[in-house]
Amino acid sequence: RVFFRSVATTFGPVRDVPVSPDYGIGPGDDILIRAWGQIDVDFSAVVDRNGTISVPRVGSFNVAGIKYQDLTGYLKSTFGRVFRNFELTATLGRLRAIQVFVVGQTRRPGSYTLSSLSTLVNAVFAVGGPSAKGSMRGIQLKRGNRVVAELDLYDLLIAGDKSKDAQLLPGDVIYIPSVGPLVAVTGSVNVPAIYELKQNSPLSELLRWAGGLSTTAQGQKVTVERIENRTARKVEEFRLDPPGLARAVRDGDLVTVFSLAPRFDDIVTLRGNV
């Protein structure tokens, strides 16, 4: 969660970035149309709330839902009903803004106005990420009465995987649930911390999240402190061999990785003029 502490308190919409080919045209988008030949057109048309644009000498027609990669071909076909022997290009100018709602265990819940190019990850960063009580493993994007995407921030922050990101649409709701099961790892690891589990995970995965063993780690054994049935606290010690790495860690576990003892064993010291 330290990652979100430096997030700006204001969020600037995404501008001056390439529009993806599958971007869907919608109300509020500005379409720049240029045609030459039998017809000379240099016109800017804003898509109205009905999804239509009006072009002089051509008429009104619907463009809502058309993908950006198909826009030029669609307009050329529409203009071709009236004119012949011309060339046409269409690009997007100012893009529409969309309103989304962020609720649940977030640092700054509320209604946000974002660029239509914004994605789920953009919005999560805009609100400062989950709060201390919020989950980083199951952020939901809700559209209507169904969940259309679920984001695991560990994929992004630990593995750099953004493949589960999703495009936002007007009226979307981003819901951050309460934090799930937690397990702590301490001792000779590179990133000792408290980590959130989706389900019971093997010890090997926990050590991967923690950046692996440090150079001073003994690399032979660990202890797991666990509360059994909310009645008794138990400590298990086992080796870091394949069976040990496959052991499942559970909610409330404290994993300690031993470090090398600060002593030398089985040594010979040679001094003098040698």
Side-chain angles (χ1 to χ4, degrees):
R1 300 177 198 281
V2 177
F3 190 79
F4 295 100
R5 289 181 184 173
S6 60
V7 174
T9 56
T10 59
F11 180 69
V14 179
R15 293 192 181 101
D16 301 326
V17 296
V19 178
S20 62
D22 59 351
Y23 176 81
I25 309 298
D29 284 334
D30 184 20
I31 302 177
L32 307 178
I33 304 172
R34 294 180 176 87
W36 60 95
Q38 185 182 0
I39 180 176
D40 186 12
V41 174
D42 189 355
F43 187 72
S44 175
V46 178
V47 183
D48 64 22
R49 65 181 58 190
N50 295 321
T52 63
I53 60 173
S54 297
V55 181
R57 301 176 60 192
V58 179
S60 298
F61 43 90
N62 192 287
V63 294
I66 295 176
K67 293 183 178 181
Y68 178 61
Q69 62 185 358
D70 302 326
L71 180 61
T72 296
Y74 174 78
L75 292 179
K76 193 170 184 179
S77 173
T78 302
F79 278 49
R81 300 172 186 171
V82 182
F83 301 98
R84 297 289 185 273
N85 303 320
F86 68 93
E87 295 295 329
L88 180 146
T89 63
T91 59
L92 290 176
R94 188 178 64 179
L95 301 179
R96 67 186 185 272
I98 61 174
Q99 185 182 47
V100 299
F101 303 91
V102 184
V103 297
Q105 301 297 334
T106 175
R107 293 173 61 188
R108 293 195 295 270
S111 172
Y112 287 79
T113 300
L114 310 176
S115 163
S116 56
L117 291 178
S118 299
T119 65
L120 178 56
V121 169
N122 294 139
V124 170
F125 277 79
V127 302
S131 67
K133 299 179 181 178
S135 172
M136 298 185 69
R137 307 297 308 272
I139 299 173
Q140 298 177 356
L141 174 60
K142 296 187 175 183
R143 188 168 297 154
N145 59 354
R146 63 191 184 93
V147 177
V148 296
E150 187 167 315
L151 176 66
D152 185 346
L153 281 177
Y154 278 24
D155 291 339
L156 174 62
L157 301 180
I158 296 177
D161 181 5
K162 195 171 173 282
S163 60
K164 299 295 179 62
D165 197 11
Q167 194 76 31
L168 297 178
L169 294 180
D172 280 352
V173 175
I174 298 170
Y175 171 66
I176 301 181
S178 298
V179 67
L182 298 174
V183 59
V185 58
T186 186
S188 293
V189 291
N190 289 313
V191 190
I194 298 174
Y195 294 93
E196 182 182 355
L197 303 175
K198 266 190 170 180
Q199 59 272 335
N200 290 345
S201 300
L203 178 62
S204 58
E205 187 172 16
L206 177 63
L207 294 179
R208 181 176 64 85
W209 297 339
L213 303 180
S214 67
T215 55
T216 60
Q218 190 179 82
Q220 295 179 354
K221 60 182 179 180
V222 298
T223 61
V224 175
E225 186 176 320
R226 174 174 296 166
I227 299 176
E228 291 284 355
N229 301 322
R230 301 184 183 276
T231 57
R233 187 182 300 273
K234 297 182 179 180
V235 178
E236 291 184 81
E237 180 178 310
F238 49 87
R239 298 179 61 84
L240 281 176
D241 52 13
L245 291 171
R247 284 176 176 250
V249 289
R250 302 203 303 251
D251 185 24
D253 283 356
L254 171 60
V255 179
T256 302
V257 180
F258 288 96
S259 60
L260 291 170
R263 69 174 189 269
F264 295 98
D265 294 330
D266 302 326
I267 64 170
V268 174
T269 302
L270 178 61
R271 294 188 179 95
N273 296 317
V274 293

